[in-house]
Amino acid sequence: MLKVKINELKKGDVIAEHILNSEGQVLLAAGTSLTDKTIGLLKLWEIHEIRVREEKDTDDDIRLSLQFDEIVSKNSQLFDKIKKIADSDSPPVEELPTIFNKKSTQQYHDISDKFSKILFDLPQTKNIMPLTVMANIICHYAATTVGVLAYTLKREITPSMQENLANHSISVAIISAKIAKLLGHPEEVIHTIALGALLHDIGKIKLPETIFHKSDCQSAEEELQYQSHVQAGYDIIKSLGLPREANLILLQHHEYQDSSGFPLHLPAAKIHPYAQIVAFANFFDSLLHEKDTPPNFFAIRKKLTQEGATKFDTAIIDAFDHYLESFVFNVNVELNDGRTAEVVYNHPFYMSLVVRTANGEFIDLSKNKDLFIAKLVV
């Protein structure tokens, strides 16, 4: 590694260690290739010199340059501050980034119960007003709730197809609305996206319970029957006077940019941007609940960026992954050796975490290959 003054940097130089601010937050990650813009940012931040990578440097050299002790020290102080707030008798709500609490969980259950009736009555009532109200509620949650993923992570698979369909639809709508907000869409667009997401799987009410999920299909014939839920859903909603974009969301929520989706195997250019958001949210929620065991949130995050790279717009992936980075801080987890711990730092470049165990030990999971997060503790 080589120390270089800011005025001597050039495009293409690779940062050898994280650029941190005074609070230990990462401004530019190790491994970043410098551009004119990032060099300008370094000057704006009044950083006078940095370490850049040399040709002889290995990945291990870069990994060791992450100033782990400094990061742990700063995050330890922040951890202790948050713990003090959490242990106080009346913690300030705005300062405690909890994602699970009794009140919000009950609110989610109330919404689910109401939406289930709305969804299954829609083919008969043709009344979209309750759906519009529900979309407004979803938009409000996406905009104001710190732990907007709480519902998605907490929801359980039940024997009831009706209940699972309602829960999944709400979950996808919440995630979609959050992504739309992260991407900077105005309120009316977020509302349309939430509306389309709430309805994206309504065609499944026409399917036999034996093939409610794609993974349930045992033959090519069942696979075709499963795929028919897209057309069945459109037949239900096409005369309701919904925005055109909401209809397209339903029709295209299984289409992927590499043309591997269905029913039309559309290329990227022909998939509506709103439908791409909902397709990604649907993919995320399905990954979380594809098995009966508790989801390994952190392994799923890797799947989103790796397997999703060819299927979804990179802007969607990047925006949501950046949100997940901040979301995992202060989350309780269980390690594969049975110990419980709390996430206190995320290595952005390596997608690896630093955790603090119940007895106060800090563990950098990027350096300890025998340890990994087994599950999220909720």
Side-chain angles (χ1 to χ4, degrees):
M1 291 170 287
L2 184 67
K3 274 190 176 181
V4 178
K5 295 186 181 300
I6 296 302
N7 290 334
E8 297 173 1
L9 291 172
K10 58 185 183 297
K11 285 199 310 183
D13 283 342
V14 177
I15 298 174
E17 61 185 10
H18 288 348
I19 308 300
L20 307 174
N21 65 13
S22 60
E23 297 177 351
Q25 296 170 319
V26 177
L27 300 174
L28 288 174
T32 299
S33 181
L34 290 173
T35 64
D36 288 336
K37 180 178 179 181
T38 48
I39 292 172
L41 286 173
L42 291 170
K43 292 177 180 177
L44 182 65
W45 294 328
E46 297 184 348
I47 295 171
H48 303 297
E49 66 177 17
I50 66 170
R51 292 183 184 273
V52 298
R53 186 169 183 166
E54 298 180 88
E55 288 185 10
K56 63 182 179 63
D57 290 333
T58 66
D59 286 339
D60 284 339
D61 293 328
I62 301 299
R63 191 182 297 275
L64 290 172
S65 73
L66 294 177
Q67 301 171 320
F68 176 65
D69 291 338
E70 181 182 353
I71 291 170
V72 166
S73 173
K74 290 177 179 176
N75 278 281
S76 176
Q77 296 169 17
L78 183 56
F79 173 88
D80 291 337
K81 177 182 177 183
I82 292 174
K83 203 68 178 172
K84 184 177 180 181
I85 295 171
D87 292 339
S88 65
D89 292 334
S90 54
V93 175
E94 69 277 9
E95 292 187 47
L96 185 61
T98 180
I99 59 170
F100 305 116
N101 60 69
K102 187 175 181 181
K103 180 180 178 182
S104 63
T105 300
Q106 185 57 50
Q107 288 174 328
Y108 291 133
H109 286 312
D110 291 345
I111 290 173
S112 178
D113 291 342
K114 292 174 183 175
F115 178 66
S116 180
K117 180 172 176 54
I118 292 170
L119 189 67
F120 280 80
D121 285 351
L122 187 63
Q124 289 75 42
T125 65
K126 308 290 185 183
N127 182 7
I128 65 169
M129 184 58 67
L131 278 171
T132 301
V133 173
M134 189 62 65
N136 283 335
I137 293 172
I138 297 298
C139 291
H140 174 73
Y141 274 128
T144 61
T145 305
V146 173
V148 75
L149 290 184
Y151 176 85
T152 299
L153 294 170
K154 288 275 286 186
R155 77 176 185 85
E156 298 177 353
I157 301 299
T158 73
S160 167
M161 186 188 83
Q162 180 169 334
E163 187 176 349
N164 286 331
L165 179 56
N167 290 343
H168 168 68
S169 300
I170 293 173
S171 180
V172 171
I174 290 172
I175 298 164
S176 299
K178 184 64 180 180
I179 293 172
K181 185 169 181 62
L182 291 171
L183 292 174
H185 287 298
E187 186 175 341
E188 61 271 17
V189 168
I190 299 174
H191 183 272
T192 298
I193 291 172
L195 188 61
L198 286 170
L199 291 169
H200 79 282
D201 263 351
I202 190 173
K204 285 188 175 180
I205 67 178
K206 301 293 186 180
L207 293 179
E209 292 194 26
T210 53
I211 56 168
F212 182 70
H213 301 288
K214 186 177 182 181
S215 57
D216 298 331
C217 299
Q218 303 296 317
S219 65
E221 289 76 18
E222 287 189 349
E223 173 75 16
L224 285 174
Q225 190 174 13
Y226 171 80
Q227 293 186 10
S228 73
H229 78 268
V230 175
Q231 183 62 49
Y234 180 67
D235 290 341
I236 292 171
I237 72 166
K238 63 184 179 182
S239 62
L240 298 182
L242 295 166
R244 173 179 175 272
E245 293 84 358
N247 291 336
L248 286 174
I249 286 171
L250 185 149
L251 286 169
Q252 299 178 354
H253 74 275
H254 279 295
E255 301 286 357
Y256 301 135
Q257 289 200 341
D258 59 3
S259 300
S260 66
F262 65 84
L264 298 177
H265 310 290
L266 296 175
K270 293 191 176 181
I271 306 172
H272 195 281
Y274 301 174
Q276 293 191 39
I277 291 173
V278 176
F280 179 82
N282 183 54
F283 181 68
F284 174 67
D285 188 72
S286 297
L287 285 177
L288 284 175
H289 301 286
E290 66 181 352
K291 299 177 181 177
D292 292 333
T293 56
N296 187 331
F297 173 78
F298 303 94
I300 287 170
R301 183 184 167 201
K302 285 190 176 181
K303 278 191 175 183
L304 286 174
T305 55
Q306 294 171 1
E307 295 182 18
T310 60
K311 297 178 183 294
F312 306 105
D313 187 336
T314 54
I316 295 172
I317 296 175
D318 291 346
F320 192 64
D321 188 63
H322 183 70
Y323 168 68
L324 294 185
E325 270 184 17
S326 60
F327 172 78
V328 299
F329 183 78
N330 204 37
V331 168
N332 293 322
V333 297
E334 183 178 307
L335 302 178
N336 60 308
D337 63 1
R339 283 183 291 175
T340 56
E342 186 168 17
V343 176
V344 295
Y345 183 72
N346 175 67
H347 287 312
F349 183 57
Y350 293 105
M351 289 188 68
S352 187
L353 303 165
V354 176
V355 299
R356 183 179 184 178
T357 64
N359 65 2
E361 179 188 359
F362 283 92
I363 302 173
D364 185 350
L365 297 179
S366 71
K367 297 178 180 178
N368 193 328
K369 298 301 183 184
D370 294 327
L371 278 178
F372 58 86
I373 291 171
K375 65 180 180 179
L376 191 71
V377 177
V378 297

